Amino acid sequence: MAKSSADDEELRRACEAAIEGTKQKIVLSIRVAKSHGIWGKSGKLGRHMAKPRVLALSTKSKGQRTKAFLRVLKYSTGGVLEPAKLYKLKHLSKVEVIANDPSGCSFTLGFDNLRSQSVTPPQWTMRNIDDRNRLLFCILNICKDVLGRLPKVVGIDIVEMALWAKENTPTIPKQTNLQDGVPVAATVTESDMKVTVERELVSQAEEEDMEALLGNYLMGIGEAEAFSESLKRELLALEAANVHAILESEPLIEEVLLGLEAATNCVDDMDEWLGIFNLKLRHMREDIESIETRNNKLEMQSVNNVSLIEELDKLLERLRVPSEHATCLTAGSFDEAHMLQNIEACEWLTGALRGLQVPNLDPSYANTRAVKEKRTELEKLKTMFVRRASEFLRNYFASLVDFMISDKSYFSQRGQLKRPDHADLRYKCRTYARLLQHLKSLDKNCLGPLRKAYCSSLSLLLRREAREFANELRASTKASRNPTVWLEASTGSSQSSHNADTSSVSEAYAKMLTIFIPLLVDESSFFAHFMCFEVPALVPPGSVANGNKDGNANDEDDDDDLGIMEIDENDGKAGKNSADLAALNESLQDLLDGIQEDFYAVVDWAYKIDPLRCISMHGITERYLSGQKADAAGFVRLLLGDLESKISMQFSRFVDEACHQIERNERNLRQMGVLSYIPRFATLATCMEQYIPGQSRDLVDHAYTKFVSIMFVTLERIAQTDPKYADVFLLENYAAFQNSLYDLANVVPTLAKYYHQASEAYEQACTRHISMIIFYQFEKLFQFARKIEDLMYTITPEEIPFQLGLSKMDLRKMLKSSLSGVDKSISAMYKRLQKNLTSEELLPSLWDKCKKEFLDKYENFAQLVAKIYPNESIPSVSEMRELLASM
């Protein structure tokens, strides 16, 4: 079996070099294949091909704590390993072996801290089962030793894993004693290194002593009657010895009895004394208990008085309103210099109101008169402060915007496009961001009027900026006006006027979006945070507002755009967030409504200069729209969607007008040759392809479908006005359509479909026209063949020469009239074909088709004659082929 990459020291050194400087130690490194596919579907591995990666398990010690990581490393262009992703093993929640993988070498790792749980985690595929078990066993050991827990394991049995580990435990070399001065290596398995300490109940020496002792006695237990007699004799001997001992100890017993009698007399005297003492002590105990009871009552009363005084002091402290806060709340200034005092007063007032609520205040105090009066006083302070602060902020917002509107240097002027800059406005508003949060905590209803005041004031500024910028953008953009008539039959054949460069129009529109879409998203984000909406961030980490999706997402916490902190971080609930999101979208509608008119004006201006620029503007808008994924920037997405619809409507207007131009060809008199709109459509399609940005083709492909459908319908209608020349007219126009769109059809799938449709129509028209010419010149010949073919369905070939009009004499007459001077007839057929064509370049191919068709029909006629009239001679097919080739 090939050596596992887990034992590759060179790979381990490469991994250590890749993470050098992180103070992490590589535990295991192994090569894997990364994919995102699903096994078992059409034999494919999924959406992407497998990519080579290296998984490295590393640890980092910090004091007594050890952190474990799973690193994903990829190969750079030069084949050097570089870090790609880093996962913390403490977030590892699930290890799942893919059940659909027949090899069993694929698995996924689930982490509970990933931001998008809807995205399928990557699949890791090992070279073999041993490599998979080795990696998973190492991960589980690290989780158990370092983290003290195991993740959920799906698709593999833990017992099976343990058995594999026991069978595949590596041997570890160790040094033994020196033999002849040379260290000898011995192999020790990992199981040998685990020492099991057990407490021994009986030592070896004690066990040997007990065996020796038992061996000294021959008890004869095997003979039951002898053993019983022996025991009886020993019992009688013991009883006799006891009686003898009692008789010998009688004097001693008498002495003991005398001593006991004297002791009893002493004990009786002591009992009388103790009774006297006990009576006296009982009286003393009753007196002491009485004294202690009175003392305890006094002590309890003293402690209660002290506690009561402390509680009253605390309650008085809660009920006291500091003079500096009272002054600030009732008559303080809201200037920037005094904002710190206002914030401190708000914090005190919020805390005081919460302190008088039942959860934070003893329920026994809640209904006292003093608490009720103080609560009423604080409510009055809150109402007065909220009213004063709201009035100040409404006036402040209006004054800020009025000052900016009155200064013309903030806006674009003649000859100077100026990017709107709201940095100073936001800086001044941030001064009062903390105040708004406290106002929300004091009275949520006060934010509604403040939000409306801010929106109405800032809306005036944004609409003025957009109007001035759009006006100057149109004035400063110089572009030649292209006509909107492309496919009109009355226009000249020259298309040079359509080639004017109007790219500056698209650039102007793109500049309008580049300047204002990020501004509107930023304003929406600032407004949501500034006005304390509890909604997710408007611009997610790693995304940008201009439609560019590339970004580097990291795990670091993003700082708040306002530089402020939330007061109550745990108050946000799902229902509350949805209500705030609806309120935010309604406020954004008030903030940004009306600004779309200036964008519409730029679109209308660009359409008047060059209607085809709608294609590039549509692509630009679609790219910006795809970049707006945040939930709360809803109005910006609506604005972009309305712009996209406006551009599509304008382009549809251009397409409809061009279709009307095509349909007007039907009203003209008899049409000959190639219609003028076919080559002009090729020119138009070439210009439209140049205006397509990136891969945004839907708008253009829809226009192609409408154009070509109308062109083909109109072509068929015009052809029906003169049925005699309809086929010639159709084949010339379908051939012109193919020739003019050959290059574009190779790269545009939609045009390729209509190219093939035109090719089929061309072939059908050619077949009909050639058949008509051949039949016109050789009508008797092929009518005779058709009669024979019709009769062959009903009678035998031998009976046909006896039918009326099909005798051998009739055959000879027909051949004489049709094939005498056949060269002149063929020349007449060529001239007739040449006469009706206006496109000379089609004549050679049509004549070749005509000769081939004539030969096929004549060959069929010759076969019929040989079968029905075997003795009759006619010109052979080869003679006819040589005749046609010579002409």
Side-chain angles (χ1 to χ4, degrees), residues 180 201 216 341 357 359-360 401 419 523 674 746 781 824:
D180 298 332
L201 298 178
N216 292 333
Q341 291 87 335
Q357 300 298 326
N360 301 314
V401 174
R419 180 191 295 268
E523 285 299 332
V674 178
N746 287 328
L781 179 69
K824 294 181 180 179

Side-chain angles (χ1 to χ4, degrees), residues 212-446:
L213 182 62
L214 291 175
N216 292 333
Y217 294 91
L218 297 176
M219 302 176 65
I221 297 179
E223 301 176 358
E225 295 181 356
F227 183 65
S228 178
E229 291 295 330
S230 175
L231 289 179
K232 288 180 180 179
R233 289 193 299 270
E234 292 180 1
L235 180 60
L236 292 175
L238 288 175
E239 289 179 351
N242 289 336
V243 172
H244 180 71
I246 291 172
L247 292 176
E248 288 182 350
S249 59
E250 182 180 359
L252 297 176
I253 292 174
E254 291 179 355
E255 293 180 2
V256 171
L257 291 175
L258 292 175
L260 288 175
E261 185 178 357
T264 301
N265 294 331
C266 292
V267 168
D268 292 339
D269 295 339
M270 184 65 69
D271 181 56
E272 292 179 1
W273 297 342
L274 289 177
I276 296 171
F277 289 139
N278 187 30
L279 180 62
K280 293 182 178 181
L281 289 175
R282 185 171 64 251
H283 292 300
M284 293 178 64
R285 191 181 300 114
E286 292 174 356
D287 295 339
I288 292 172
E289 288 178 355
S290 175
I291 295 172
E292 287 180 350
T293 301
R294 291 195 299 270
N295 188 32
N296 290 338
K297 290 181 179 179
L298 291 175
E299 289 181 359
M300 184 178 296
Q301 185 177 1
S302 176
V303 171
N304 290 337
N305 290 336
V306 171
S307 299
L308 179 60
I309 293 173
E310 291 177 356
E311 287 296 324
L312 291 176
D313 289 339
K314 291 179 182 179
L315 182 60
L316 290 175
E317 184 64 25
R318 286 187 179 184
L319 300 179
R320 188 180 69 85
V321 179
S323 58
E324 64 275 11
H325 293 336
T327 303
C328 186
L329 292 172
T330 54
S333 173
F334 290 99
D335 294 339
E336 184 176 354
H338 297 86
M339 280 310 299
L340 182 59
Q341 291 87 335
N342 288 321
I343 297 300
E344 291 177 353
C346 286
E347 291 176 349
W348 173 86
L349 180 58
T350 303
L353 287 171
R354 289 181 180 176
L356 295 182
Q357 300 298 326
V358 171
N360 301 314
L361 183 67
D362 194 303
S364 58
Y365 297 152
N367 295 324
T368 59
R369 188 176 68 178
V371 172
K372 290 181 179 178
E373 291 177 354
K374 186 55 63 175
R375 190 182 295 120
T376 303
E377 180 183 353
L378 293 180
E379 290 290 340
K380 291 181 179 178
L381 284 177
K382 180 188 76 173
T383 303
M384 181 181 299
F385 178 76
V386 169
R387 179 179 54 79
R388 291 177 58 249
S390 300
E391 183 179 357
F392 168 79
L393 288 175
R394 286 195 298 270
N395 297 333
Y396 182 74
F397 296 150
S399 64
L400 274 181
V401 174
D402 291 342
F403 173 76
M404 295 182 69
I405 291 179
S406 62
D407 190 352
K408 294 183 178 181
S409 63
Y410 279 102
F411 308 102
S412 300
Q413 301 177 19
R414 183 174 296 276
Q416 180 184 5
L417 277 175
K418 187 174 180 63
R419 180 191 295 268
D421 185 7
H422 292 180
D424 186 57
L425 174 66
R426 294 177 188 172
Y427 175 78
K428 292 179 179 178
C429 289
R430 284 190 182 96
T431 304
Y432 300 96
R434 191 67 177 172
L435 177 63
L436 279 171
Q437 285 198 332
H438 283 290
L439 289 178
K440 178 182 178 180
S441 64
L442 290 174
D443 185 6
K444 293 183 179 180
N445 296 327
C446 73

